[in-house]
Amino acid sequence: MELHYPGKSGILDILNGPKASFPTHFNTEKNALLEGDNLPIMRTLLDSPLRFDLCYIDPPFATGHSFRSSTHRSATISKSNADAVAYNDFVKGAEFIEFIRQRAIVIRELLSDNGSFYLHIDYKIGHYVKVILDEIFGTENFRNDITRIKCNPKNFRRNAYGNIKDMILFYTKSRNFLWNEPTSPLNDAEIFRLFKKIDAHGRRYTTVPVHAPGETQHGPTAQAWKGLYPPKGRHWRTSPDELDQLDNNGFIEWSSTGNPRRIIYADEHQGKKIQDIWDFKDPAHPGYPTEKNLALLRLIINASSNAGSHVLDCFAGSGTTLLASALSGRRWVGIDQSATAIKAIENKLHTCPALTEKPDFQYLKAQ
Ligand SMILES: C[S@@+](CC[C@H](N)C(=O)[O-])C[C@H]1O[C@@H](n2cnc3c(N)ncnc32)[C@H](O)[C@@H]1O
């Protein structure tokens, strides 16, 4: 399936188009803040040894608005009042889709073989972007459409349901992608519901069977343990030797009728799997328009990159991704064409109290 529209260019033309140059040497060993249009800059990066384990982008959403910096109550202004503009979001329709497509094609080339791509977008244009990303990354590499709750419910005046979410499309370059399973801790109600028993030391626990479905005729998990065989149609979860070890270490509870069960302690629980609906509201009074939630970026970065990985945000805005990368010990490259964004990024990196070391990066303006 493909999306057809006028002005859809060939992949080779996109990759081989004009490149950016920099006034001084671009040291790829350092973190980098690059000012200019991301497409020619990323083509230049293709010639470098840099490859990224993660790229997150939060591009314009084809809203038709102009966005201005902090001092005013509303983030949007009319086209005529352009003094405080941080960036314009005037490209719409097929032209917008092609704008995103060209960048996504180059981004895919810049990813490492086990790299990931997250694209933040809204419900109005996001479904067209999904079709385009399926073309570029392949449907087999589409991982999630994450629903992000972006604000508290509002009394929208139009006759429709209130919109409180946007979407984050998550793709990987291949099946073998870098993944650090993120979890969230159980809350008190869940702990009380799932771990009803309390041991002699006051630790909450529950028990689970030591056998699992599926009969095996041979091998250790089919053998007798302490004179017991697994029930019909089941096998021991671990070998009798390992069951002995668990029992010796106090992890088996025996019922009065001699039925063994494995003890699981609440304080050793690894946490819940994170699902695909996220509640990360953006700052109520952003310093930069459409500034994203830092905790959201920290989750993505910790799940889809490792310490020392390179992370790219080529629509960097106020640098939320760059700060989150620095906080998690990742290397980063940020690109933005707005001088206001570059100032906001420098400010964010230099004033964050949680950053224990002074951020070390090179700034280059593309020519
Ligand atoms: C939605 S904002 C990003 C906000 C960011 N995620 C944050 O948390 O602050 C989009 C940014 O993309 C930048 N941008 C738009 N088109 C660009 C282009 N062709 N090249 C580089 N930057 C671009 C804008 O200047 C703007 O700062």
Side-chain angles (χ1 to χ4, degrees):
M1 286 176 288
E2 281 185 12
L3 196 61
H4 292 277
Y5 52 84
K8 192 171 180 181
S9 17
I11 292 179
L12 287 180
D13 290 339
I14 293 166
L15 292 172
N16 297 326
K19 294 176 187 176
S21 59
F22 298 109
T24 52
H25 173 63
F26 174 27
N27 179 357
T28 53
E29 299 288 310
K30 295 186 83 172
N31 297 323
L33 179 55
L34 308 175
E35 182 174 345
D37 182 1
N38 49 22
L39 186 58
I41 292 181
M42 288 195 292
R43 288 196 193 104
T44 305
L45 295 186
L46 280 176
D47 294 335
S48 80
L50 273 177
R51 287 300 174 265
F52 297 89
D53 286 337
L54 170 64
C55 173
Y56 164 90
I57 64 168
D58 170 29
F61 290 179
T63 60
H65 294 308
S66 192
F67 289 86
R68 65 184 173 181
S69 288
S70 61
T71 45
H72 306 267
R73 271 172 62 100
S74 159
T76 61
I77 53 170
S78 67
K79 287 185 195 180
S80 57
N81 178 10
D83 351 67
V85 167
Y87 71 96
N88 292 322
D89 182 8
F90 295 153
V91 179
K92 298 192 95 174
E95 203 188 329
F96 176 81
I97 294 300
E98 182 61 7
F99 169 86
I100 295 293
R101 175 174 167 266
Q102 295 194 0
R103 274 121 190 117
I105 284 171
V106 183
I107 287 169
R108 188 183 171 280
E109 295 304 310
L110 282 172
L111 290 179
S112 63
D113 289 342
N114 54 4
S116 298
F117 177 51
Y118 291 73
L119 182 143
H120 209 135
I121 198 75
D122 75 1
Y123 72 102
K124 289 187 180 162
I125 194 78
H127 299 88
Y128 293 93
V129 174
K130 162 78 170 60
V131 177
I132 280 296
L133 294 186
D134 280 348
E135 281 178 30
I136 297 168
F137 285 85
T139 47
E140 69 282 10
N141 292 318
F142 170 54
R143 304 281 158 226
N144 284 109
D145 165 359
I146 297 155
T147 293
R148 198 278 298 228
I149 312 291
K150 60 177 181 170
C151 60
N152 291 319
K154 292 179 182 156
N155 281 326
F156 292 95
R157 258 170 294 175
R158 64 198 159 88
N159 289 343
Y161 304 106
N163 166 235
I164 58 167
K165 58 124 180 165
D166 51 25
M167 62 205 278
I168 302 172
L169 300 170
F170 168 29
Y171 286 81
T172 58
K173 185 154 175 179
S174 69
R175 258 168 239 255
N176 297 321
F177 56 97
L178 201 161
W179 181 248
N180 303 310
E181 183 73 42
T183 55
S184 64
L186 297 175
N187 61 35
D188 284 351
E190 287 164 331
I191 290 175
F192 292 149
R193 182 167 51 80
L194 296 171
F195 299 89
K196 291 202 165 67
K197 298 181 172 190
I198 300 177
D199 76 3
H201 307 285
R203 289 175 82 188
R204 281 198 166 264
Y205 73 97
T206 187
T207 60
V208 294
V210 289
H211 43 72
E215 196 159 282
T216 40
Q217 302 295 330
H218 309 288
T221 59
Q223 305 306 312
W225 175 58
K226 300 205 171 191
L228 294 171
Y229 281 94
K232 201 164 169 34
R234 300 178 72 89
H235 64 281
W236 299 126
R237 281 184 190 273
T238 57
S239 68
D241 283 351
E242 286 170 81
L243 287 171
D244 272 340
Q245 262 183 29
L246 287 171
D247 200 14
N248 295 340
N249 292 326
F251 285 106
I252 300 289
E253 183 176 75
W254 294 87
S255 73
S256 56
T257 56
N259 178 29
R261 285 174 70 88
R262 166 84 158 93
I263 292 174
I264 310 282
Y265 285 104
D267 53 26
E268 289 176 346
H269 192 269
Q270 301 294 308
K272 289 177 291 186
K273 189 168 180 74
I274 306 258
Q275 308 298 314
D276 63 359
I277 299 183
W278 297 359
D279 190 349
F280 286 114
K281 297 180 184 85
D282 288 332
H285 304 288
Y288 190 80
T290 67
E291 182 174 345
K292 294 296 174 290
N293 182 310
L294 181 64
L296 180 153
L297 265 307
R298 295 213 67 186
L299 169 61
I300 291 175
I301 283 163
N302 291 334
S304 290
S305 67
N306 286 335
S309 285
H310 285 92
V311 176
L312 171 68
D313 184 343
C314 56
F315 291 91
S318 66
T320 313
T321 311
L322 315 183
L323 175 59
S325 301
L327 288 169
S328 291
R330 274 55 167 170
R331 319 271 297 276
W332 53 265
V333 172
I335 308 173
D336 205 291
Q337 66 184 10
S338 155
T340 311
I342 299 296
K343 276 198 207 101
I345 292 167
E346 288 172 338
N347 183 48
K348 187 173 259 187
L349 290 169
H350 285 124
T351 58
C352 174
L355 260 189
T356 46
E357 284 177 22
K358 197 171 167 292
D360 181 25
F361 61 91
Q362 62 180 335
Y363 160 76
L364 294 171
K365 185 167 179 174
Q367 294 174 331

